[in-house]
Amino acid sequence: MTGSGPGLLRADALSFRYQPGTPLLEGWSARFDAGEVVAVTGPSGRGKSTLLYLLGLMLRPVSGEVLLDGEAMHARPDRERAARRAATFGFVFQDAALDSSRTVLDNVLETTLYRGDDRRESARRAHALLERFGVALRAEARPGQVSGGQAQRIALCRALLGDPRILLADEPTGNLDPASADVVLEALHEQAHRGAAVVVVTHDPALVARCDRELVL
Ligand code: ADP
């Protein structure tokens, strides 16, 4: 579903390298529209995770632009980029990246609290999500007490809680059995049907086959 407007999220001639490091992206362009789930694939070390950080405004490209609703983000101050990130994006990091000092529930609530959403309503929705993904019993646990697959599903709950318009997920099914992976994939498609652009980094051919498009890095 590639429209002709500005696109929800666009990468325009992105180039990036870590300092020091070899170039990872050189003049890379793509667009991500509402309603689609796009798989990003490619060999390890090619820069897939880095691309998600660039698209998610956590890194700035060396040159080129990330455009959100047609607006160039590069020159925006850090504070504005952080606010746009919290308002627009949900992230599922590769290693789940849960804060080990807080309970699972507080981890899931993190972004909504940062945004100033109502805590009771957010907690009610967080419990419903944890239930849906089979990790509700772990709500009061600390991240160190849950398995890798549980952490991944908890990270997905955190990303979905804010009902993001753009969902960026890094290997979200990497530690999951096929049935759990199916539930995750369904959730990604559901978020797209709700009007989000969804970008998934994955090595899993079965997942790629069920995405709307594949971009190979
Ligand atoms: P992929 O997700 O495709 O495996 P990554 O984006 O994780 O690739 O990493 C791309 C390359 O950048 C790798 O060689 C990795 O070692 C390097 N890299 C990743 N993060 C950093 C960093 N913070 N500083 C320097 N090099 C990094």
Side-chain angles (χ1 to χ4, degrees):
M1 194 201 290
T2 300
S4 58
L8 183 42
L9 180 67
R10 262 170 47 210
D12 186 16
L14 281 190
S15 296
F16 185 81
R17 67 193 303 165
Y18 291 101
Q19 291 298 345
T22 50
L24 288 177
L25 296 168
E26 291 183 280
W28 193 86
S29 298
R31 62 178 285 159
F32 303 93
D33 285 303
E36 59 171 5
V37 180
V38 178
V40 173
T41 63
S44 287
R46 189 53 67 78
K48 301 180 297 298
S49 298
T50 302
L51 174 65
L52 289 194
Y53 299 146
L54 289 162
L55 294 175
L57 311 180
M58 284 178 277
L59 287 176
R60 281 188 166 84
V62 172
S63 61
E65 270 294 357
V66 170
L67 297 105
L68 191 56
D69 295 316
E71 292 177 63
M73 290 289 121
H74 190 112
R76 304 296 169 96
D78 287 346
R79 210 178 34 174
E80 184 187 337
R81 285 165 59 94
R84 295 289 289 257
R85 195 156 63 225
T88 311
F89 289 89
F91 289 94
V92 183
F93 295 98
Q94 186 166 18
D95 58 355
L98 302 175
D99 177 349
S100 58
S101 68
R102 302 155 79 200
T103 64
V104 162
L105 180 63
D106 281 344
N107 268 278
V108 174
L109 289 174
E110 178 187 277
T111 309
T112 52
L113 296 182
Y114 175 82
R115 296 199 316 202
D117 296 356
D118 178 70
R119 187 186 160 96
R120 271 177 75 131
E121 171 58 15
S122 296
R124 190 191 61 72
R125 294 184 45 235
H127 272 294
L129 279 167
L130 290 166
E131 190 86 47
R132 170 173 180 187
F133 292 103
V135 282
L137 289 174
R138 313 305 284 159
E140 295 308 322
R142 303 273 161 177
Q145 299 168 297
V146 306
S147 72
Q150 288 173 332
Q152 232 168 11
R153 283 174 281 163
I154 292 160
L156 180 65
C157 293
R158 174 173 63 184
L160 290 174
L161 184 65
D163 193 16
R165 292 172 60 224
I166 301 171
L167 180 59
L168 305 177
D170 201 346
E171 303 268 8
T173 60
N175 292 316
L176 301 182
D177 59 79
S180 303
D182 266 0
V183 174
V184 168
L185 185 64
E186 262 170 42
L188 300 181
H189 276 290
E190 189 180 302
Q191 196 61 25
H193 288 143
R194 291 169 64 82
V198 180
V199 185
V200 197
V201 167
T202 184
H203 285 111
D204 177 358
L207 198 154
V208 175
R210 293 167 63 190
C211 290
D212 300 310
R213 272 197 293 145
E214 178 182 7
L215 293 175
V216 184
L217 269 200

